[in-house]
Amino acid sequence: MVEPVLLTEGISKSFGSVIACENVSLDLRPGEIHAVIGPNGAGKSTLISQICGTLKPDNGRIFLHGTDVSSQSVRERSLAGLARTFQISALAMEDTVLQNAVLGALGATGNPWKFLSEALPDPNYRENAELALKRVGLLDFKNHRTAELSHGQRRQLEVAIALTLNPSAFIMDEPMAGLGAEGSKRLTGILDEVRTEAPILLVEHDMDAVFALADRISVLVYGKIIATGTVDEIRNNPAVQEAYLGESK
Amino acid sequence: MISERYFNIAILALLIIVPTWAYFADEPFTITLMTRAAIFALAAVGLNLALGTGGLVSFGHAAFFGMGGYVMGILAHHAQTFTPVAEVPFLIEGTKSMPVIWLVSILLSAVLAWVIGFLSLRTSGVYFIMITLAFAQMMFFFSISWSEYGGEDGLSIYVRNSFPGLNTLDPIQFYILCLAILLIVLGAMARVVKSPFGLALNAARQSPQRVDAVGLNVKRLRLVAFIISGAITGLAGALFADLNRFVSPTMFSWQLSGEIMVFIIIGGVGRLFGPVVGALIFVALEHFLGGLSDFWHIYLGLLLLMIVLFGKGGIIGMICGREKSHG
Ligand SMILES: Nc1ncnc2c1ncn2[C@@H]1O[C@H](COP(=O)(O)OP(=O)(O)OP(=O)(O)O)[C@@H](O)[C@H]1O
Ligand SMILES: [Mg+2]
């Protein structure tokens, strides 16, 4: 078997009496899109936060390329190849779209210790940043202040920043939210292309996108994975239908 | 709205025209006032990097201002009394040379900022404000109790320190020196805020988790900003001591920390010329209103209140509008 790029081994997390994540084990294999679906409050974002290092699991371990990264900081995991998008946009709102993308490109070089040269025109960052903006369809907005962007455009910028990092795994928290039909379709195309560069752990509510993209789907309900399988397996899983798909359709 | 660039040029012109007029009109006191403003501006340019770009609300920048002041005071005191600063572990002599004093001020302020920043940056928000204040207060009380260097009374320096090729006792020559330093530092700052470092620092103020997520070290970015910031304010302190030929614990006082912050808030937080505008207005109010009433701080307070209530970007924000994002 190929070694998974990312592996969680029985991770759990509680907030007081709320068990947001219970003994979750999943893996992300090279080239795949592994979707995590589940109702609101199921613990999807909590899972992502633990993988990326903003939350420390109560139990369990996380491996990236076979290395235990459980005790590493967000930054170290990012340097080890994780790139995430945030469900609630975490962008420099006063800055332009290009400045945000250049920040990602700067992160990709790992060296912000240049004090007197101008960042924006520097081709070392700019080419990477503009390419990423172009891929998500934001290049025409590069000089707009990020605060002026629509909700959907901010999601796209989140993805663009992740792209600038050239990571070995993408972790995306609802990148389609607020995009509208047109935007979702476009981003679906982008993600389909991106998976060849690095696999994607995709938390997403947009079922059309999930069914179109996912190689595998894990269903998370009340912090527990109740099923993992291919699109067809999940669609026809009675427990899933009852717990999740049934109620929404 | 006036373009910020033209506004800055106008301020620059003011910095040149007023002292030139004063020179020919034989008004040396005006030149001294302008020197005071330029030095305050420099101190605030230092804080502006931490506060405006980095979002680090330091209420203790007097620690660095005073550090620069005491470096000047102590070195010059030993030079004028022909005593060594230290003999063990090796001989350190006093000096009256400005460039040497500046260098030592910058270095020691940077070291102090490294220590204070390292300890303070573990906290944020109100705690950061309080802990930076506490460090400056520590320096304040230490300087009061250091009787060897005048304690509460401070230290007088009889003759202004020297700069090769200049007569620093001539007000206009000393002003030109201070203005040159201010402009060099402003020029450097204009570049720093647009540099990779500045971009990352600016982003870390707005969204630290993003900067973390792209693999950059938020804490280290802030610490470096704090060190550069403290070093600049320290240099201003050395110049201020030379302007007055006097250092005392008031250079470490919390009022001074507050004033440096007030300059920035009046002028415009994070604006390149914000500290300059704020310092000019402060010195003007201090001079004109201070002559009319002992309670001139009330007027300053009112001005501050208006700015906080009605205009977010300080005077520059009101005149030039929101900062233009660089394309
Ligand atoms: N920091 C926190 N403190 C306390 N409770 C939390 C915290 N973060 C999440 N929770 C709780 O944990 C549970 C899982 O939340 P989480 O945000 O992970 O769900 P989600 O699946 O991402 O939901 P959504 O679809 O709305 O994004 C919820 O009950 C939530 O209220
Ligand atoms: Mg969520």
Side-chain angles (χ1 to χ4, degrees), chain A residues 15-16 18-20 38-47 55 87 173-174 203 205 220:
Chain A
F15 299 106
V18 179
I19 303 171
N40 285 73
K44 305 178 297 290
S45 294
T46 304
L47 174 65
L55 274 179
Q87 181 177 9
D173 200 350
E174 305 204 10
V203 168
H205 269 303
L220 197 66

PDB file of all heavy atoms in Angstrom, chain A residues 15-16 18-20 38-47 55 87 173-174 203 205 220, ligand 1:
ATOM      1  N   PHE A  15     -14.782  19.786  24.168  1.00  0.00           N
ATOM      2  CA  PHE A  15     -14.884  21.123  24.774  1.00  0.00           C
ATOM      3  C   PHE A  15     -15.846  20.991  25.941  1.00  0.00           C
ATOM      4  O   PHE A  15     -17.059  20.947  25.730  1.00  0.00           O
ATOM      5  CB  PHE A  15     -15.415  22.137  23.774  1.00  0.00           C
ATOM      6  CG  PHE A  15     -14.552  22.302  22.559  1.00  0.00           C
ATOM      7  CD1 PHE A  15     -14.947  21.763  21.336  1.00  0.00           C
ATOM      8  CD2 PHE A  15     -13.347  22.989  22.623  1.00  0.00           C
ATOM      9  CE1 PHE A  15     -14.155  21.923  20.213  1.00  0.00           C
ATOM     10  CE2 PHE A  15     -12.558  23.147  21.501  1.00  0.00           C
ATOM     11  CZ  PHE A  15     -12.962  22.609  20.285  1.00  0.00           C
ATOM     12  N   GLY A  16     -15.356  20.909  27.126  1.00  0.00           N
ATOM     13  CA  GLY A  16     -16.227  20.674  28.272  1.00  0.00           C
ATOM     14  C   GLY A  16     -16.955  19.357  28.074  1.00  0.00           C
ATOM     15  O   GLY A  16     -16.336  18.316  27.885  1.00  0.00           O
ATOM     16  N   VAL A  18     -18.969  18.781  25.513  1.00  0.00           N
ATOM     17  CA  VAL A  18     -19.188  18.523  24.090  1.00  0.00           C
ATOM     18  C   VAL A  18     -18.020  17.724  23.522  1.00  0.00           C
ATOM     19  O   VAL A  18     -16.875  18.168  23.575  1.00  0.00           O
ATOM     20  CB  VAL A  18     -19.313  19.847  23.300  1.00  0.00           C
ATOM     21  CG1 VAL A  18     -19.518  19.566  21.821  1.00  0.00           C
ATOM     22  CG2 VAL A  18     -20.435  20.692  23.857  1.00  0.00           C
ATOM     23  N   ILE A  19     -18.320  16.554  23.007  1.00  0.00           N
ATOM     24  CA  ILE A  19     -17.261  15.790  22.353  1.00  0.00           C
ATOM     25  C   ILE A  19     -17.290  16.163  20.872  1.00  0.00           C
ATOM     26  O   ILE A  19     -18.165  15.719  20.128  1.00  0.00           O
ATOM     27  CB  ILE A  19     -17.485  14.281  22.539  1.00  0.00           C
ATOM     28  CG1 ILE A  19     -17.562  13.966  24.046  1.00  0.00           C
ATOM     29  CG2 ILE A  19     -16.349  13.499  21.893  1.00  0.00           C
ATOM     30  CD1 ILE A  19     -17.990  12.539  24.328  1.00  0.00           C
ATOM     31  N   ALA A  20     -16.344  17.019  20.465  1.00  0.00           N
ATOM     32  CA  ALA A  20     -16.374  17.539  19.096  1.00  0.00           C
ATOM     33  C   ALA A  20     -15.698  16.584  18.125  1.00  0.00           C
ATOM     34  O   ALA A  20     -15.908  16.658  16.912  1.00  0.00           O
ATOM     35  CB  ALA A  20     -15.699  18.907  19.053  1.00  0.00           C
ATOM     36  N   GLY A  38     -20.691  16.182   6.834  1.00  0.00           N
ATOM     37  CA  GLY A  38     -21.381  15.995   8.104  1.00  0.00           C
ATOM     38  C   GLY A  38     -22.213  17.205   8.399  1.00  0.00           C
ATOM     39  O   GLY A  38     -21.937  18.287   7.867  1.00  0.00           O
ATOM     40  N   PRO A  39     -23.236  17.031   9.230  1.00  0.00           N
ATOM     41  CA  PRO A  39     -24.115  18.165   9.529  1.00  0.00           C
ATOM     42  C   PRO A  39     -23.389  19.270  10.287  1.00  0.00           C
ATOM     43  O   PRO A  39     -22.265  19.071  10.756  1.00  0.00           O
ATOM     44  CB  PRO A  39     -25.225  17.551  10.389  1.00  0.00           C
ATOM     45  CG  PRO A  39     -24.676  16.254  10.877  1.00  0.00           C
ATOM     46  CD  PRO A  39     -23.634  15.808   9.919  1.00  0.00           C
ATOM     47  N   ASN A  40     -24.039  20.399  10.429  1.00  0.00           N
ATOM     48  CA  ASN A  40     -23.459  21.517  11.170  1.00  0.00           C
ATOM     49  C   ASN A  40     -23.123  21.085  12.594  1.00  0.00           C
ATOM     50  O   ASN A  40     -23.902  20.393  13.219  1.00  0.00           O
ATOM     51  CB  ASN A  40     -24.453  22.675  11.250  1.00  0.00           C
ATOM     52  CG  ASN A  40     -24.555  23.390   9.929  1.00  0.00           C
ATOM     53  OD1 ASN A  40     -25.142  22.852   9.000  1.00  0.00           O
ATOM     54  ND2 ASN A  40     -23.962  24.551   9.835  1.00  0.00           N
ATOM     55  N   GLY A  41     -21.950  21.496  13.031  1.00  0.00           N
ATOM     56  CA  GLY A  41     -21.546  21.172  14.398  1.00  0.00           C
ATOM     57  C   GLY A  41     -21.052  19.747  14.565  1.00  0.00           C
ATOM     58  O   GLY A  41     -20.852  19.287  15.679  1.00  0.00           O
ATOM     59  N   ALA A  42     -20.828  19.054  13.453  1.00  0.00           N
ATOM     60  CA  ALA A  42     -20.386  17.656  13.539  1.00  0.00           C
ATOM     61  C   ALA A  42     -18.946  17.545  14.038  1.00  0.00           C
ATOM     62  O   ALA A  42     -18.522  16.503  14.513  1.00  0.00           O
ATOM     63  CB  ALA A  42     -20.521  16.981  12.181  1.00  0.00           C
ATOM     64  N   GLY A  43     -18.185  18.616  13.886  1.00  0.00           N
ATOM     65  CA  GLY A  43     -16.800  18.564  14.335  1.00  0.00           C
ATOM     66  C   GLY A  43     -15.807  18.620  13.189  1.00  0.00           C
ATOM     67  O   GLY A  43     -14.620  18.329  13.368  1.00  0.00           O
ATOM     68  N   LYS A  44     -16.260  19.037  12.012  1.00  0.00           N
ATOM     69  CA  LYS A  44     -15.375  19.058  10.838  1.00  0.00           C
ATOM     70  C   LYS A  44     -14.253  20.088  11.009  1.00  0.00           C
ATOM     71  O   LYS A  44     -13.073  19.790  10.779  1.00  0.00           O
ATOM     72  CB  LYS A  44     -16.199  19.351   9.571  1.00  0.00           C
ATOM     73  CG  LYS A  44     -17.358  18.392   9.368  1.00  0.00           C
ATOM     74  CD  LYS A  44     -18.189  18.714   8.138  1.00  0.00           C
ATOM     75  CE  LYS A  44     -18.879  20.052   8.181  1.00  0.00           C
ATOM     76  NZ  LYS A  44     -19.987  20.152   9.159  1.00  0.00           N
ATOM     77  N   SER A  45     -14.651  21.284  11.415  1.00  0.00           N
ATOM     78  CA  SER A  45     -13.617  22.317  11.586  1.00  0.00           C
ATOM     79  C   SER A  45     -12.682  21.973  12.738  1.00  0.00           C
ATOM     80  O   SER A  45     -11.487  22.263  12.686  1.00  0.00           O
ATOM     81  CB  SER A  45     -14.265  23.683  11.845  1.00  0.00           C
ATOM     82  OG  SER A  45     -14.975  24.101  10.696  1.00  0.00           O
ATOM     83  N   THR A  46     -13.247  21.354  13.764  1.00  0.00           N
ATOM     84  CA  THR A  46     -12.403  20.938  14.894  1.00  0.00           C
ATOM     85  C   THR A  46     -11.362  19.923  14.425  1.00  0.00           C
ATOM     86  O   THR A  46     -10.191  19.988  14.824  1.00  0.00           O
ATOM     87  CB  THR A  46     -13.281  20.327  16.003  1.00  0.00           C
ATOM     88  OG1 THR A  46     -14.269  21.289  16.372  1.00  0.00           O
ATOM     89  CG2 THR A  46     -12.465  19.949  17.205  1.00  0.00           C
ATOM     90  N   LEU A  47     -11.784  19.030  13.552  1.00  0.00           N
ATOM     91  CA  LEU A  47     -10.855  18.044  13.000  1.00  0.00           C
ATOM     92  C   LEU A  47      -9.726  18.744  12.236  1.00  0.00           C
ATOM     93  O   LEU A  47      -8.538  18.454  12.410  1.00  0.00           O
ATOM     94  CB  LEU A  47     -11.630  17.090  12.078  1.00  0.00           C
ATOM     95  CG  LEU A  47     -10.814  16.071  11.296  1.00  0.00           C
ATOM     96  CD1 LEU A  47     -10.137  15.091  12.244  1.00  0.00           C
ATOM     97  CD2 LEU A  47     -11.704  15.307  10.306  1.00  0.00           C
ATOM     98  N   LEU A  55      -5.462  23.497  17.179  1.00  0.00           N
ATOM     99  CA  LEU A  55      -6.023  22.856  18.377  1.00  0.00           C
ATOM    100  C   LEU A  55      -5.209  21.616  18.675  1.00  0.00           C
ATOM    101  O   LEU A  55      -4.805  20.886  17.765  1.00  0.00           O
ATOM    102  CB  LEU A  55      -7.472  22.420  18.125  1.00  0.00           C
ATOM    103  CG  LEU A  55      -8.603  23.402  18.352  1.00  0.00           C
ATOM    104  CD1 LEU A  55      -9.925  22.713  18.003  1.00  0.00           C
ATOM    105  CD2 LEU A  55      -8.628  23.900  19.778  1.00  0.00           C
ATOM    106  N   GLN A  87     -12.479  28.242   7.209  1.00  0.00           N
ATOM    107  CA  GLN A  87     -13.922  28.381   6.973  1.00  0.00           C
ATOM    108  C   GLN A  87     -14.343  29.838   7.168  1.00  0.00           C
ATOM    109  O   GLN A  87     -15.089  30.389   6.377  1.00  0.00           O
ATOM    110  CB  GLN A  87     -14.697  27.479   7.942  1.00  0.00           C
ATOM    111  CG  GLN A  87     -16.203  27.571   7.717  1.00  0.00           C
ATOM    112  CD  GLN A  87     -16.973  26.634   8.631  1.00  0.00           C
ATOM    113  OE1 GLN A  87     -16.428  26.030   9.541  1.00  0.00           O
ATOM    114  NE2 GLN A  87     -18.262  26.506   8.370  1.00  0.00           N
ATOM    115  N   ASP A 173     -11.445  23.954   4.319  1.00  0.00           N
ATOM    116  CA  ASP A 173     -12.670  23.985   5.114  1.00  0.00           C
ATOM    117  C   ASP A 173     -13.731  24.793   4.372  1.00  0.00           C
ATOM    118  O   ASP A 173     -13.718  26.017   4.391  1.00  0.00           O
ATOM    119  CB  ASP A 173     -12.379  24.596   6.493  1.00  0.00           C
ATOM    120  CG  ASP A 173     -13.448  24.229   7.511  1.00  0.00           C
ATOM    121  OD1 ASP A 173     -14.488  23.677   7.104  1.00  0.00           O
ATOM    122  OD2 ASP A 173     -13.234  24.488   8.716  1.00  0.00           O
ATOM    123  N   GLU A 174     -14.637  24.082   3.717  1.00  0.00           N
ATOM    124  CA  GLU A 174     -15.761  24.685   2.986  1.00  0.00           C
ATOM    125  C   GLU A 174     -15.347  25.792   2.017  1.00  0.00           C
ATOM    126  O   GLU A 174     -15.835  26.923   2.115  1.00  0.00           O
ATOM    127  CB  GLU A 174     -16.806  25.202   3.982  1.00  0.00           C
ATOM    128  CG  GLU A 174     -17.242  24.094   4.917  1.00  0.00           C
ATOM    129  CD  GLU A 174     -18.622  24.303   5.514  1.00  0.00           C
ATOM    130  OE1 GLU A 174     -19.334  25.225   5.063  1.00  0.00           O
ATOM    131  OE2 GLU A 174     -18.992  23.539   6.402  1.00  0.00           O
ATOM    132  N   VAL A 203     -13.418  19.518   3.343  1.00  0.00           N
ATOM    133  CA  VAL A 203     -14.668  19.627   4.097  1.00  0.00           C
ATOM    134  C   VAL A 203     -15.604  20.481   3.266  1.00  0.00           C
ATOM    135  O   VAL A 203     -15.236  21.587   2.876  1.00  0.00           O
ATOM    136  CB  VAL A 203     -14.420  20.287   5.466  1.00  0.00           C
ATOM    137  CG1 VAL A 203     -15.740  20.675   6.120  1.00  0.00           C
ATOM    138  CG2 VAL A 203     -13.644  19.355   6.365  1.00  0.00           C
ATOM    139  N   HIS A 205     -19.941  21.375   2.195  1.00  0.00           N
ATOM    140  CA  HIS A 205     -21.383  21.159   2.294  1.00  0.00           C
ATOM    141  C   HIS A 205     -22.025  20.968   0.926  1.00  0.00           C
ATOM    142  O   HIS A 205     -23.096  20.398   0.809  1.00  0.00           O
ATOM    143  CB  HIS A 205     -22.055  22.359   2.972  1.00  0.00           C
ATOM    144  CG  HIS A 205     -22.161  22.225   4.455  1.00  0.00           C
ATOM    145  ND1 HIS A 205     -22.792  21.162   5.049  1.00  0.00           N
ATOM    146  CD2 HIS A 205     -21.712  22.997   5.468  1.00  0.00           C
ATOM    147  CE1 HIS A 205     -22.738  21.300   6.362  1.00  0.00           C
ATOM    148  NE2 HIS A 205     -22.066  22.407   6.647  1.00  0.00           N
ATOM    149  N   LEU A 220     -18.941  12.399   9.011  1.00  0.00           N
ATOM    150  CA  LEU A 220     -18.697  12.709  10.413  1.00  0.00           C
ATOM    151  C   LEU A 220     -20.018  13.135  11.046  1.00  0.00           C
ATOM    152  O   LEU A 220     -20.685  14.044  10.557  1.00  0.00           O
ATOM    153  CB  LEU A 220     -17.678  13.850  10.477  1.00  0.00           C
ATOM    154  CG  LEU A 220     -16.952  14.124  11.785  1.00  0.00           C
ATOM    155  CD1 LEU A 220     -16.044  12.964  12.144  1.00  0.00           C
ATOM    156  CD2 LEU A 220     -16.105  15.402  11.654  1.00  0.00           C
TER     157      LEU A 220
HETATM  158  N1  LIG C   1     -13.422  26.569  20.739  1.00  0.00           N
HETATM  159  C1  LIG C   1     -14.542  25.887  21.058  1.00  0.00           C
HETATM  160  N2  LIG C   1     -15.009  25.913  22.321  1.00  0.00           N
HETATM  161  C2  LIG C   1     -16.119  25.234  22.662  1.00  0.00           C
HETATM  162  N3  LIG C   1     -16.833  24.502  21.812  1.00  0.00           N
HETATM  163  C3  LIG C   1     -16.425  24.431  20.532  1.00  0.00           C
HETATM  164  C4  LIG C   1     -15.261  25.122  20.092  1.00  0.00           C
HETATM  165  N4  LIG C   1     -15.080  24.895  18.777  1.00  0.00           N
HETATM  166  C5  LIG C   1     -16.101  24.088  18.428  1.00  0.00           C
HETATM  167  N5  LIG C   1     -16.905  23.806  19.464  1.00  0.00           N
HETATM  168  C6  LIG C   1     -18.081  22.929  19.435  1.00  0.00           C
HETATM  169  O1  LIG C   1     -17.672  21.710  18.880  1.00  0.00           O
HETATM  170  C7  LIG C   1     -18.653  21.202  17.984  1.00  0.00           C
HETATM  171  C8  LIG C   1     -18.054  21.001  16.616  1.00  0.00           C
HETATM  172  O2  LIG C   1     -17.803  22.292  16.026  1.00  0.00           O
HETATM  173  P1  LIG C   1     -17.128  22.459  14.606  1.00  0.00           P
HETATM  174  O3  LIG C   1     -16.965  23.905  14.350  1.00  0.00           O
HETATM  175  O4  LIG C   1     -15.934  21.619  14.525  1.00  0.00           O
HETATM  176  O5  LIG C   1     -18.261  21.878  13.661  1.00  0.00           O
HETATM  177  P2  LIG C   1     -18.332  21.880  12.067  1.00  0.00           P
HETATM  178  O6  LIG C   1     -18.613  20.479  11.662  1.00  0.00           O
HETATM  179  O7  LIG C   1     -17.160  22.527  11.469  1.00  0.00           O
HETATM  180  O8  LIG C   1     -19.634  22.759  11.844  1.00  0.00           O
HETATM  181  P3  LIG C   1     -20.002  23.704  10.598  1.00  0.00           P
HETATM  182  O9  LIG C   1     -20.583  22.840   9.530  1.00  0.00           O
HETATM  183  O10 LIG C   1     -21.049  24.623  11.169  1.00  0.00           O
HETATM  184  O11 LIG C   1     -18.776  24.404  10.184  1.00  0.00           O
HETATM  185  C9  LIG C   1     -19.799  22.182  18.030  1.00  0.00           C
HETATM  186  O12 LIG C   1     -20.764  21.674  18.949  1.00  0.00           O
HETATM  187  C10 LIG C   1     -19.181  23.431  18.531  1.00  0.00           C
HETATM  188  O13 LIG C   1     -20.116  24.192  19.235  1.00  0.00           O
END
